[in-house]
Coordinates of all heavy atoms in Angstrom, one line a residue:
P16 N -1.7 -203.9 -104.1 CA -1.1 -204.6 -102.9 C 0.4 -204.3 -102.7 O 1.0 -204.9 -101.7 CB -1.3 -206.0 -103.4 CG -1.4 -206.1 -104.8 CD -2.0 -204.7 -105.2
R43 N 1.7 -200.9 -112.2 CA 1.4 -202.3 -112.4 C -0.1 -202.5 -112.8 O -0.9 -201.8 -112.4 CB 1.7 -203.1 -111.1 CG 3.1 -203.3 -110.8 CD 3.2 -204.2 -109.5 NE 4.5 -204.3 -109.1 CZ 5.1 -203.6 -108.1 NH1 4.4 -202.8 -107.4 NH2 6.3 -203.9 -107.7
G44 N -0.3 -203.5 -113.6 CA -1.6 -203.9 -114.0 C -2.1 -205.2 -113.3 O -1.3 -206.1 -113.2
Y45 N -3.3 -205.2 -113.0 CA -3.9 -206.4 -112.3 C -5.1 -206.8 -113.2 O -6.0 -206.2 -113.3 CB -4.3 -206.1 -110.8 CG -3.2 -205.6 -110.1 CD1 -2.8 -204.3 -109.9 CD2 -2.3 -206.6 -109.4 CE1 -1.6 -204.0 -109.1 CE2 -1.1 -206.2 -108.7 CZ -0.9 -204.9 -108.6 OH 0.2 -204.6 -107.8
P46 N -4.9 -208.0 -113.6 CA -6.1 -208.5 -114.5 C -7.4 -208.7 -113.8 O -7.4 -209.0 -112.5 CB -5.5 -209.9 -115.1 CG -4.5 -210.4 -114.0 CD -3.9 -209.0 -113.5
P52 N -11.2 -209.0 -109.8 CA -9.8 -208.5 -109.8 C -8.8 -209.5 -109.1 O -9.1 -210.0 -108.1 CB -9.8 -207.2 -109.0 CG -11.2 -206.9 -108.7 CD -12.0 -208.2 -109.0
V53 N -7.8 -209.7 -109.8 CA -6.6 -210.6 -109.3 C -5.6 -209.7 -108.7 O -4.7 -209.3 -109.5 CB -6.1 -211.6 -110.4 CG1 -5.1 -212.5 -109.8 CG2 -7.3 -212.4 -111.0
L54 N -5.6 -209.3 -107.5 CA -4.7 -208.5 -106.9 C -3.6 -209.2 -106.2 O -3.3 -209.0 -105.0 CB -5.5 -207.5 -105.8 CG -6.6 -206.7 -106.5 CD1 -7.3 -205.9 -105.4 CD2 -6.1 -205.8 -107.6
L55 N -2.8 -209.9 -107.0 CA -1.7 -210.6 -106.5 C -0.4 -210.1 -107.2 O -0.4 -209.9 -108.5 CB -1.8 -212.1 -106.8 CG -3.0 -212.8 -106.2 CD1 -3.0 -214.3 -106.7 CD2 -2.8 -212.9 -104.6
L56 N 0.6 -209.7 -106.4 CA 1.9 -209.1 -107.1 C 2.4 -210.1 -108.1 O 3.0 -209.7 -109.1 CB 2.8 -208.8 -106.0 CG 2.5 -207.5 -105.2 CD1 3.4 -207.3 -104.0 CD2 2.5 -206.3 -106.1
D57 N 2.3 -211.4 -107.7 CA 2.9 -212.4 -108.6 C 2.2 -212.5 -110.0 O 2.7 -212.9 -111.0 CB 2.8 -213.8 -108.0 CG 3.8 -214.0 -106.8 OD1 4.7 -213.1 -106.8 OD2 3.7 -214.9 -106.1
E58 N 0.9 -212.0 -110.1 CA 0.1 -212.0 -111.3 C 0.2 -210.7 -112.0 O -0.5 -210.6 -113.0 CB -1.3 -212.5 -111.0 CG -1.4 -213.8 -110.4 CD -1.1 -215.0 -111.2 OE1 -1.4 -214.8 -112.5 OE2 -0.5 -216.0 -110.9
A59 N 0.7 -209.7 -111.4 CA 0.6 -208.3 -111.9 C 1.4 -208.3 -113.3 O 2.4 -208.9 -113.6 CB 1.3 -207.4 -110.9
I60 N 1.0 -207.3 -114.1 CA 1.6 -207.0 -115.4 C 2.5 -205.8 -115.1 O 2.1 -204.7 -114.6 CB 0.5 -206.6 -116.4 CG1 -0.5 -207.8 -116.6 CG2 1.2 -206.2 -117.7 CD1 -1.8 -207.4 -117.2

Side-chain angles (χ1 to χ4, degrees):
R43 286 183 185 98
Y45 298 94
V53 181
L54 299 178
L55 300 171
L56 287 172
D57 291 344
E58 301 290 325
I60 301 161

